[in-house]
Amino acid sequence: MERRMTMNANEKRHAERYDAFAGLEIRRLGGEYADDAHRLMLDVVSRLPDSALFATDDGGYFTELLARGGELYGAFGNGKLAAYSTLAYPGPGDGNLGREFGVPEEELDRVWMLDATIVHESARGRGLQRFFHELRERRARELGARCLYSTVHPANDASRRNLEAAGFVRQFTRPMYGGLMRHCYAKRLSGRDERHANPSRPADVHAGEPDGQGV
């Protein structure tokens, strides 16, 4: 009698992801890829319908990100960088938005930021934004993070949906990055399911994302 093998839900998810990422090499990157990532960012942003959707950085952003303890991940297709994503460590200084949504001073050094994700058109539709989101949250937990935050343009529906689906809650909305309007979203990491739980304020408080933006 023929024996049929069935996959459980987790195995099926992994199989589907393998198929989606076939032909891509995904790995953590060092500073030698800073220029490649910057060129990819400028190339993709140049074709956005509205330049305000993504706050571009200068060429030194990636070097500074890595020097401060952040991480850079890339996806390569045919040996060429097709997507990147960053996990940033803001440190306890003035640039840490955790203060604005109630993170205590003594916990600010355990706050991390889901910074930008850029995906070239040739690699879209394969779930890379969601994959990078999961990867960065897992790494933040491993690095001892207690809270994650991210910023997003109010009209960036895809990024907002990804954040909300992952349990991030909007904390506030205000101009950032030279006057560009942004939502700030945050999520407390505690080992239990924090979906729809606000880091420190009542659930009706709205927030946004730092350019945890993604395109």
Side-chain angles (χ1 to χ4, degrees):
M1 182 176 68
E2 180 183 4
R3 184 180 178 183
R4 302 188 67 179
M5 300 292 291
T6 59
M7 294 187 290
N8 61 36
N10 193 46
E11 291 170 334
K12 186 175 182 180
R13 244 189 336 266
H14 281 291
E16 290 171 347
R17 175 163 290 173
Y18 178 83
D19 290 340
F21 296 160
L24 293 177
E25 179 189 0
I26 302 173
R27 64 179 188 269
R28 183 175 167 186
L29 307 179
E32 66 273 19
Y33 288 98
D35 289 343
D36 292 333
H38 188 242
R39 281 193 294 269
L40 177 62
M41 175 188 68
L42 295 178
D43 178 49
V44 171
V45 171
S46 71
R47 291 185 293 279
L48 292 179
D50 183 352
S51 61
L53 288 170
F54 193 97
T56 56
D57 300 288
D58 62 31
Y61 161 75
F62 297 98
T63 301
E64 182 179 352
L65 171 107
L66 296 170
R68 291 174 60 89
E71 297 185 352
L72 171 65
Y73 308 94
F76 294 80
N78 298 317
K80 185 177 180 179
L81 187 66
Y84 76 77
S85 189
T86 55
L87 173 66
Y89 180 64
D94 293 341
N96 192 324
L97 294 184
R99 284 187 181 85
E100 297 190 38
F101 52 83
V103 175
E105 286 290 324
E106 63 272 16
E107 290 188 11
L108 287 172
D109 62 348
R110 301 184 69 180
V111 173
W112 288 72
M113 174 184 177
L114 299 186
D115 210 347
T117 294
I118 283 282
V119 182
H120 189 270
E121 293 89 338
S122 64
R124 290 182 186 168
R126 305 173 74 174
L128 278 171
Q129 279 210 40
R130 187 167 59 252
F131 171 81
F132 280 134
H133 189 111
E134 295 170 359
L135 169 64
R136 291 178 298 169
E137 181 171 327
R138 184 173 71 248
R139 280 294 294 148
R141 289 179 183 273
E142 293 170 353
L143 292 165
R146 292 290 299 276
C147 186
L148 278 173
Y149 73 84
S150 187
T151 60
V152 65
H153 190 285
N156 191 336
D157 294 335
S159 291
R160 289 193 297 104
R161 285 194 298 267
N162 284 339
L163 287 167
E164 291 165 3
F168 282 70
V169 176
R170 196 171 66 175
Q171 306 297 314
F172 58 84
T173 302
R174 68 165 173 82
M176 305 182 195
Y177 316 116
L180 301 176
M181 192 60 69
R182 290 293 186 266
H183 292 320
C184 178
Y185 282 82
K187 178 179 182 179
R188 177 167 289 279
L189 307 179
S190 68
R192 67 183 179 86
D193 187 3
E194 291 288 345
R195 189 172 299 271
H196 307 308
N198 187 289
S200 60
R201 293 186 178 181
D204 60 351
V205 177
H206 295 305
E209 132 189 64
D211 272 25
Q213 54 188 4
V215 292

